[in-house]
Each structure stands twice: as C-alpha cells, then as structure tokens.
Amino acid sequence: MTPLPDPTALFSDYLRLTGVAHTTPEPAGDPALLGRRVGLLHGSAWIGLWGAYFGRVYLPGAHLVAVGNEAVQIAFMAAHERGEPVPPPQNIRAFVRYARDLVELAGVDVVLITCSTMNRAYREVERALGPRGVPVVQIDRPMMEAAVSRGGRALVVATHGPTVASTQALLKETAEEMGREIAFRGAEVEAAWERLAAGDVAGHNAVLARTIREALAEDPGLSSVVLAQLSMAALLFSYPEPERAFGVPVYTSAECGFRRVREVLAERPRPA
C-alpha cells in the first residue's frame, strides 16, 4: 500500500486551495473578478484539484464552483474499452443535468467544460443553457484556435485513450470553422497516464518531455505542441516556460481555457 501523506499538511493545503462552500465573494483577488462565479464541469472528481489550482492562477478572485464525479469517467472508459463511441450518450445527458445544476443552484456566470473526452457534450450543454443566458466555454477550444492560427503541423499529445478521438476531432472542427487548414501528428503516451495515476507527477512530466523532444527530433518541422487534457498541464510545474524548454509553443488547456473564461467574463455585465 502506498504510504499516505501527512494528513494535517494535506488537508490544510487542500482547504487553502479550494476553500469551503460560501455565498459571499472571495475575500481577495483581482477586483475585476471578485463577485464573479465560475462553474467548472468536470469529467471526474479527481481533476477538481487541477481546476481549483489553475482557476486560482488564471482567475484570482473568482468564486469557483465545481461539479463532476468518477462515474462519468468510468462510463466513458468502459465504452472505449468495448469499442463503442465515446462519450456515451448517457454521459452527455449527465453533463446537461450538471450544467443546469450549476446555473439553477449556484447561479454561475459562465460554465467551463474541463474534460477533453467530454468536449462532445459542448453543443448540448450550450443549447440547454442558452435560454438562461449563461455562456459555455469548452476548455480545449482556445488552445486549438492557437494551434490553428499558428499553422504548420502540430503535435497533439494525449495520455488517456478515450481522449484521443475527441481531441483530434475538435482540432479538425476548429480549423474548419476558422476557415484554415491544420496538419498534425498524434502521440498517445499511456506511460505518462500510468505515472500520474500512481501519484508520480514528476515522472508524468518527464515522460511527456521526452515524448515532445523525441517527436521534435524526428520531425523538426513541427510548429507547436497541443497537450490534450487538463491533467497534462502539470507539465508546467516542471517546465514553467515550455516554449523556451522545447523550442516551440506548448499549448495547454489550463492556460488557454481559463484565460478564455476571463475574456468571457469581461464581456458580461457584472451582477447587481
């Protein structure tokens, strides 16, 4: 059995990051974000730590309200293992319900879908929240736009099998909607996922870094790197300046997606 971390330090750090449920604005942060409430729609509960951390980094002062559970991820993993379409229809229906809860129960100003595999639920969630006037952001879309705008040939890296098809489909759709062309090559790195699942974040980052460097050495014409999942933004902990480290832009959904949420909030009137 893996030894447990010191519980006092663990729980203290966790609560300093997430806080507890409250109805008031955050006590401190960017004045432009204080009083704004952001709904984070996760595909699994464990990724909530990523949402809380990067939400604090890129949306300081926003009140983050998260929903999502392991059942969603288990369902789409099982469907992938059976060779069925991913995500399964029941997952999309669940995301619509969860999104409505974020609006009706918590009164969020915007909903961010943080799960790459569940990006196929975006249109349904958007339609459900349209009458309520609440915008929906798909966390991967902004980094896809960045890769398409840069042009050339992108390296799309994923660590989790069910994510691969959804991510590549979104990149193609983004290019079509922007009226541009994008070439890409994919890399699926299950070894990094296994390291992450074992709690070895540094090992996860090392595997990703090696994969990126090997791909660039083999194909020097690659113009950018796209990291397909929010969990992969942990690479930034080891490489806070990834373009300097790898020689090409490395787009993460954490940075691009949360910054897009900030842009959306800036365009919306503040609540009374």
Side-chain angles (χ1 to χ4, degrees):
M1 178 178 176
T2 303
L4 294 175
D6 173 68
T8 301
L10 174 64
F11 279 75
S12 297
D13 287 345
Y14 181 84
L15 288 170
R16 277 195 292 267
L17 176 64
T18 65
V20 297
H22 56 90
T23 58
T24 56
E26 294 295 317
D30 187 330
L33 293 171
L34 289 171
R36 308 313 294 263
R37 194 170 285 175
V38 177
L40 303 179
L41 183 45
H42 299 313
S44 200
W46 64 269
I47 201 67
L49 184 61
W50 273 251
Y53 179 84
F54 287 108
R56 299 292 187 203
V57 171
Y58 297 113
L59 299 173
H63 181 182
L64 306 174
V65 183
V67 65
N69 61 64
E70 250 68 353
V72 170
Q73 184 170 13
I74 289 170
F76 66 64
M77 289 174 67
H80 177 72
E81 291 167 1
R82 293 190 299 266
E84 298 172 357
V86 175
Q90 61 266 32
N91 277 30
I92 295 175
R93 292 193 294 270
F95 257 40
V96 169
R97 293 197 305 271
Y98 298 158
R100 285 176 173 148
D101 285 346
L102 286 168
V103 174
E104 295 171 1
L105 302 181
V108 299
D109 298 298
V110 58
V111 169
L112 174 65
I113 297 176
T114 70
C115 181
S116 299
T117 306
M118 290 300 300
N119 71 44
R120 302 293 88 189
Y122 169 74
R123 296 299 179 193
E124 293 295 330
V125 172
E126 185 181 49
R127 277 193 287 270
L129 300 190
R132 295 166 169 81
V134 176
V136 181
V137 175
Q138 207 296 99
I139 197 168
D140 290 343
R141 173 69 188 231
M143 72 172 174
M144 300 302 182
E145 293 173 0
V148 171
S149 295
R150 183 169 177 81
R153 188 167 61 259
L155 172 66
V156 182
V157 187
T159 64
H160 193 38
T163 302
V164 174
S166 295
T167 297
Q168 294 181 358
L170 181 61
L171 179 59
K172 294 175 184 176
E173 291 166 4
T174 302
E176 291 173 1
E177 291 171 14
M178 293 176 67
R180 304 279 294 271
E181 293 186 359
I182 182 70
F184 68 91
R185 58 179 288 181
E188 185 178 343
V189 195
E190 288 284 352
W193 176 263
E194 292 166 2
R195 295 287 184 90
L196 188 71
D200 181 8
V201 174
H204 165 272
N205 295 348
V207 172
L208 285 183
R210 184 170 64 249
T211 299
I212 293 169
R213 288 188 171 122
E214 289 175 353
L216 289 169
E218 179 183 327
D219 189 352
L222 290 169
S223 56
S224 63
V225 177
V226 173
L227 299 185
Q229 300 137 229
L230 176 56
S231 62
M232 297 171 71
L235 182 72
L236 299 176
F237 304 153
S238 301
Y239 300 93
E241 297 183 68
E243 185 169 358
R244 178 175 295 181
F246 301 106
V248 296
V250 178
Y251 300 119
T252 71
S253 60
E255 180 175 7
C256 299
F258 279 99
R259 289 192 187 281
R260 175 61 55 82
V261 170
R262 187 184 183 105
E263 294 170 1
V264 169
L265 288 174
E267 295 172 355
R268 291 177 58 79
R270 296 183 63 84

